[in-house]
Amino acid sequence: MNKSTNTVWHSATITRGHRERLNVHRSVVLWFTGLSGSGKSTLAHAVEDRLYQLGCRTFVLDGDNVRQGLCSDLGFSVQDRSENIRRISEAAKLLVESGVIAMTAFISPFRADRQRARSIFPHGDFIEIFCEASLDVCEHRDIKGLYKRARAGEVKEFTGISSPYEAPVNPELAVRTGELPLEDCVAQVIEYLQQRNVFRQSPNGKDESSDQKGRAEIVSHRAD
């Protein structure tokens, strides 16, 4: 494929900062990673539900859904997995630029691919969340019946069985999704976002802003 040499980056007059002020919260990407069955999608969508209740603008990029369209031409080889994550990271970056809290729910098994994704975001905008569940727990859940098929040799290059999963060494957040109730996992993520000043709530759980009831209050454009 020949790369275009006739394109020039166009700088918009409406910036990410404008959009964040309109949304009344910071934009970041929450990168959920873990084995199949670890609860990535479940947790991401539950966090989105909670953020919606707080008035935040969000969007979840779900692994299965993305492979229905944007990445429908990709398989599960190492090369295709890397390309899958590259496309997702670029899509997530666009969402962050739009002022949205983006969430990605992908196995993203290789550290190098996750690091490459992190590298395209400004410092502090990429929050890696490790959905920590053992292979035994994930295989016992076997929500989609994939582990059984992988053990039978019907699914090739399946992460955790015939393809490796490289767990994060130092994620921003590790959530024990294999042990804790969903509501506790959600609370852990929301608390972390508050600590990072993505938004802020008053002690009674209500938004502190007086002019936009139910919406989160922006604190700072910077992460720290």
Side-chain angles (χ1 to χ4, degrees):
M1 183 182 296
N2 294 325
K3 294 183 179 180
S4 174
T5 58
N6 301 314
T7 59
V8 178
W9 184 266
H10 180 80
S11 297
T13 54
I14 301 300
T15 66
R16 171 183 169 182
H18 290 109
R19 300 182 188 105
E20 286 182 329
R21 286 191 289 274
L22 184 65
N23 291 342
V24 205
H25 60 75
R26 289 186 53 242
S27 58
V28 294
V29 59
L30 309 182
W31 194 281
F32 294 88
T33 177
L35 290 166
S36 177
S38 62
K40 300 178 300 298
S41 293
T42 300
L43 179 56
H45 285 285
V47 168
E48 183 180 40
D49 285 346
R50 180 62 181 139
L51 290 173
Y52 178 80
Q53 294 169 12
L54 295 170
C56 297
R57 298 185 187 276
T58 60
F59 194 84
V60 176
L61 292 164
D62 182 87
D64 283 357
N65 292 353
V66 167
R67 281 187 175 271
Q68 301 296 313
L70 178 63
C71 298
S72 60
D73 59 322
L74 299 177
F76 291 90
S77 67
V78 171
Q79 294 78 11
D80 280 2
R81 285 174 182 269
S82 294
E83 174 60 13
N84 185 54
I85 296 307
R86 188 195 69 80
R87 295 183 192 181
I88 295 316
S89 58
E90 292 291 348
K93 184 179 179 181
L94 291 175
L95 289 172
V96 170
E97 286 298 319
S98 76
V100 165
I101 298 174
M103 285 164 272
T104 72
F106 293 82
I107 294 174
S108 47
F110 304 120
R111 293 190 190 105
D113 292 336
R114 297 196 301 269
Q115 181 57 41
R116 191 176 301 114
R118 180 188 293 273
S119 71
I120 72 171
F121 290 88
H123 175 69
D125 288 349
F126 185 97
I127 299 173
E128 186 177 43
I129 301 176
F130 179 31
C131 294
E132 193 171 0
S134 69
L135 178 60
D136 286 344
V137 168
C138 293
E139 194 165 359
H140 178 73
R141 290 173 175 173
D142 205 9
I143 299 168
K144 302 172 185 177
L146 294 176
Y147 283 100
K148 183 178 180 180
R149 294 178 59 200
R151 290 291 187 188
E154 298 174 8
V155 179
K156 306 299 182 183
E157 299 179 291
F158 188 77
T159 303
I161 302 299
S162 51
S163 184
Y165 176 75
E166 299 172 353
V169 175
N170 189 30
E172 277 74 12
L173 189 63
V175 183
R176 300 198 310 276
T177 52
E179 304 172 18
L180 298 176
L182 178 59
E183 56 268 25
D184 290 355
C185 296
V186 171
Q188 188 175 349
V189 175
I190 296 299
E191 181 180 5
Y192 180 81
L193 295 180
Q194 289 177 272
Q195 293 172 354
R196 288 288 298 270
N197 291 334
V198 174
F199 63 91
R200 185 174 61 206
Q201 281 182 274
S202 60
N204 63 7
K206 295 183 179 179
D207 175 32
E208 291 182 336
S209 61
S210 58
D211 58 340
Q212 299 197 42
K213 183 178 181 181
R215 304 186 67 188
E217 180 184 6
I218 188 169
V219 177
S220 169
H221 180 72
R222 302 304 303 167
D224 299 308

